[in-house]
Amino acid sequence: MMNFKKFEHPFGSHQAWGIALLLLSADLAFMTMHTVNALTVWWNNPMLNIEKDHGYPETFQYLKYFWASILCVVLAVRGRAWQFLAWAFLFVYLLADDSLTLHEQAGSAVAV
């Protein structure tokens, strides 16, 4: 049985909404920088391209996956809600898949 006393209203707190707003704002900023970089001559930085592997936006996504997995482990341990470990493993898998291009390599192996 999960102990929900500590987690009754996690999205009712100002801190959770603040973090969500910061993460979404950063994503919007990266999309804006990508658009300005691609459509104007003001910038010529390929690291701002959202399609570039290991560029700035993708590195930010790696950080989000990493911190989401850490937060899920902390929630699992502190709240003794072990179901959060499944989410932690999912975020670790997404981080590994995205950073190591696992699905691209598997697709290439199957297609040959």
Side-chain angles (χ1 to χ4, degrees):
M1 173 80 48
M2 286 181 54
N3 181 4
F4 283 108
K5 290 183 181 181
K6 293 182 182 178
F7 307 111
E8 286 180 9
H9 302 289
F11 292 107
S13 69
H14 295 290
Q15 294 88 359
W17 282 110
I19 290 171
L21 182 63
L22 284 173
L23 292 173
L24 288 173
S25 297
D27 284 336
L28 287 172
F30 278 123
M31 286 188 274
T32 302
M33 287 187 281
H34 166 79
T35 303
V36 170
N37 188 46
L39 299 178
T40 67
V41 295
W42 294 341
W43 290 332
N44 190 16
N45 188 350
M47 295 298 285
L48 291 173
N49 190 336
I50 60 175
E51 297 172 349
K52 179 170 177 43
D53 286 337
H54 306 293
Y56 299 142
E58 191 164 339
T59 302
F60 180 65
Q61 185 64 34
Y62 299 158
L63 285 171
K64 289 192 296 184
Y65 285 145
F66 174 74
W67 282 110
S69 63
I70 295 298
L71 288 172
C72 286
V73 169
V74 168
L75 287 172
V77 172
R78 283 192 182 173
R80 296 185 184 198
W82 305 113
Q83 296 85 346
F84 283 108
L85 289 180
W87 286 102
F89 286 123
L90 174 69
F91 287 120
V92 168
Y93 169 75
L94 291 172
L95 174 61
D97 181 51
D98 201 12
S99 63
L100 302 174
T101 62
L102 297 178
H103 66 276
E104 287 91 346
Q105 293 175 9
S108 295
V110 169
V112 171

